[in-house]
Amino acid sequence: MTINTLDWTSAWNGRVSKADAAPFDIRCGDLALRLATEIQANRLPFINLPYRNELEKELDAQTPWLQSFEHMLVLGIGGSALGARALQKAFYPQQDRPCHNGRSLWIADNVDAATLDAWFELLPPEKTVVVVISKSGGTIETLSQYFLARLWLQKSLGDDWNRHVLLVTDASKGYLRQEANALGLASMPVPDHLGGRYSVLSAVGLVPAAFLGMDWKALIRGALAVSAPLTSMGPGATELHQHPAWKLAVWNSALMSKGYSQVIFFSYVPLWAQFGLWFTQLWAESLGKEGKGSMPLPAVGVTDQHSTQQMFLDGPRDKACLLLSSPSLARGRQFGDDLPEEWSYLRGAHFGDLLQAEGLGTQMALAKAGTPLVELRMGRTGEEEAGRLMALLEITTVLTGWLLDINPLDQPAVELGKRLANARLGAQGYEEESADLEAFLGRAPEQQEF
């Protein structure tokens, strides 16, 4: 049995000490009760996955159809894309390697006209399934892509176009649900109370995973293994107090109270680098409210030792670090005995040994510089371990939000930008936003050429 561990040896470093955790740690009893209540009411479905049985049944049924295609084009943005991409890079790296000729996943997660045009020009529509992901069914970026994809499919496939579409959206409401019902399109639900950044272990992330042939059920098993102690809590707070997510939430809250405004997610598991971007959205969109929160900084070892690490080690002392590692990574090719004398220490070593040495070096250098650091050490790097990591970070995020006395499940500031964009495009019902835009665009320009 492999074991995943949190190493706290360098956690209470710099300006933060265990004493700073006390004001947060004493709230465990109250938040344990809140957590149990919210889980029981299915308002935190990403913790106990109450939809699991139905999801597994439905996705098992859909997988043969999905895998009959050579290409999947996912239309989604933010939480509808970041989790799927993290899983793709971690468990389907062959798509990025030379001479790949298997199934391919393409994710359209931006308003990028040139790339979307290229996909429509180069992908064979008869061999492509388009997966449209939007919980609300009204995400303008995703819907605009869908409207164009629909035209592309109809032009090439005629009446058969709707056999090449899967909609992942709300079970009962929204435009995409109406579209699925009216046109008989294949669909899968996004459960209630499951926001995009918490949705990777639903159809949102698991449809692409199933298409690529991942062990997506192991992802679910891993997540449930982490959440199990919290879904069967007794009347006290013991289970929560001992849970690693609570300890991480208390640590992060103590850090913020001492002026640590940034948290580095430093991945020394190269194929898991995209988990840093997934975590960035999870943390930033959940906690950046009311002037609170800490800024997540994704970094990749050893790449960013040659870019941002100078700032991490010798810049402002406002950063903490979550360092992701694994001792089980492939060691790779072995160096021969023909190396020059100055590199003789590499003789007989393996290329992968360099990654482990560099990761240890970074960990020690950050600790020496006074950076509070917790190492997330994965015993293995399979799907089950990924599910464990994602569940741990999601639960940590919710608990940290509650310790900060904010709602970690909404994103009010993001909604303002969406309303202003809709007003700029001429949508109806945005009179106040239209007035603000008129005033903003009517300002005297202050420009300089460069």
Side-chain angles (χ1 to χ4, degrees), residues 167-180:
L167 306 183
V168 180
T169 189
D170 190 272
S172 60
K173 60 183 181 296
Y175 175 78
L176 288 181
R177 177 51 56 192
Q178 297 171 15
E179 190 83 342

Side-chain angles (χ1 to χ4, degrees), residues 120 123-126 150-159 161:
F120 289 157
L123 286 174
E126 71 280 1
R150 187 174 63 183
L151 287 173
W152 171 67
L153 291 172
Q154 289 172 339
K155 182 177 179 180
S156 300
L157 304 176
D159 292 340
W161 75 274

Side-chain angles (χ1 to χ4, degrees), residues 78-278:
S80 297
L82 287 166
R85 177 171 283 118
L87 295 175
Q88 176 191 21
K89 299 297 184 181
F91 302 114
Y92 200 75
Q94 56 265 47
Q95 184 174 329
D96 296 326
R97 293 171 179 169
C99 304
H100 172 68
N101 59 5
R103 285 188 292 270
S104 295
L105 173 66
W106 313 98
I107 302 177
D109 63 344
N110 203 350
V111 180
D112 180 356
T115 299
L116 193 64
D117 283 349
W119 281 330
F120 289 157
E121 290 168 7
L122 299 173
L123 286 174
E126 71 280 1
K127 298 179 181 180
T128 302
V129 59
V130 176
V131 178
V132 189
I133 305 176
S134 170
K135 163 65 174 171
S136 68
T139 308
I140 185 60
E141 299 90 347
T142 301
L143 281 183
S144 64
Q145 292 170 334
Y146 166 64
F147 295 144
L148 294 173
R150 187 174 63 183
L151 287 173
W152 171 67
L153 291 172
Q154 289 172 339
K155 182 177 179 180
S156 300
L157 304 176
D159 292 340
D160 286 339
W161 75 274
N162 58 2
R163 299 178 185 176
H164 292 249
V165 175
L166 173 67
L167 306 183
V168 180
T169 189
D170 190 272
S172 60
K173 60 183 181 296
Y175 175 78
L176 288 181
R177 177 51 56 192
Q178 297 171 15
E179 190 83 342
N181 294 340
L183 300 176
L185 302 176
S187 66
M188 292 189 68
V190 180
D192 291 340
H193 306 295
L194 194 65
R197 59 189 178 272
Y198 295 96
S199 68
V200 61
L201 298 183
S202 71
V204 172
L206 298 185
V207 164
F211 168 73
L212 294 176
M214 294 176 205
D215 188 355
W216 54 271
K217 291 182 182 179
L219 289 162
I220 292 175
R221 288 196 304 272
L224 289 175
V226 168
S227 65
L230 304 180
T231 57
S232 57
M233 282 193 294
T238 303
E239 292 90 349
L240 180 60
H241 197 260
Q242 295 175 347
H243 200 279
W246 174 254
K247 294 182 182 298
L248 281 172
V250 168
W251 179 66
N252 276 288
S253 300
L255 287 168
M256 294 177 216
S257 74
K258 301 300 290 185
Y260 289 94
S261 60
Q262 304 185 65
V263 57
I264 307 161
F265 187 92
F266 218 142
S267 177
Y268 275 84
V269 181
L271 291 182
W272 286 26
Q274 291 290 322
F275 282 105
L277 295 177
W278 170 82

Side-chain angles (χ1 to χ4, degrees), residues 202-403:
S202 71
V204 172
L206 298 185
V207 164
F211 168 73
L212 294 176
M214 294 176 205
D215 188 355
W216 54 271
K217 291 182 182 179
L219 289 162
I220 292 175
R221 288 196 304 272
L224 289 175
V226 168
S227 65
L230 304 180
T231 57
S232 57
M233 282 193 294
T238 303
E239 292 90 349
L240 180 60
H241 197 260
Q242 295 175 347
H243 200 279
W246 174 254
K247 294 182 182 298
L248 281 172
V250 168
W251 179 66
N252 276 288
S253 300
L255 287 168
M256 294 177 216
S257 74
K258 301 300 290 185
Y260 289 94
S261 60
Q262 304 185 65
V263 57
I264 307 161
F265 187 92
F266 218 142
S267 177
Y268 275 84
V269 181
L271 291 182
W272 286 26
Q274 291 290 322
F275 282 105
L277 295 177
W278 170 82
F279 172 74
T280 293
Q281 187 211 7
L282 173 69
W283 196 257
E285 200 166 75
S286 298
L287 303 183
K289 293 159 192 172
E290 302 175 21
K292 301 177 182 179
S294 57
M295 183 66 197
L297 302 172
V300 180
V302 298
T303 302
D304 289 321
Q305 289 178 219
H306 297 267
S307 58
T308 52
Q309 184 153 287
Q310 173 66 34
M311 178 63 73
F312 298 162
L313 292 173
D314 207 23
R317 297 292 188 247
D318 57 355
K319 301 168 187 67
C321 182
L322 289 170
L323 191 143
L324 181 67
S325 69
S326 176
S328 69
L329 298 178
R331 297 183 68 194
R333 299 193 177 212
Q334 191 172 19
F335 296 103
D337 294 329
D338 59 341
L339 300 183
E341 189 60 32
E342 61 184 307
W343 307 110
S344 61
Y345 60 88
L346 290 176
R347 293 171 185 166
H350 293 257
F351 182 60
D353 297 342
L354 182 60
L355 178 69
Q356 300 292 354
E358 299 251 23
L360 178 61
T362 290
Q363 185 175 350
M364 292 176 64
L366 287 168
K368 187 175 181 179
T371 303
L373 181 147
V374 172
E375 182 185 9
L376 299 161
R377 188 181 301 139
M378 310 305 298
R380 292 178 61 250
T381 54
E383 286 92 337
E384 182 169 337
E385 287 72 29
R388 285 176 175 268
L389 176 68
M390 295 177 116
L392 175 66
L393 294 175
E394 287 176 347
I395 299 168
T396 297
T397 301
V398 170
L399 294 172
T400 305
W402 289 351
L403 286 171

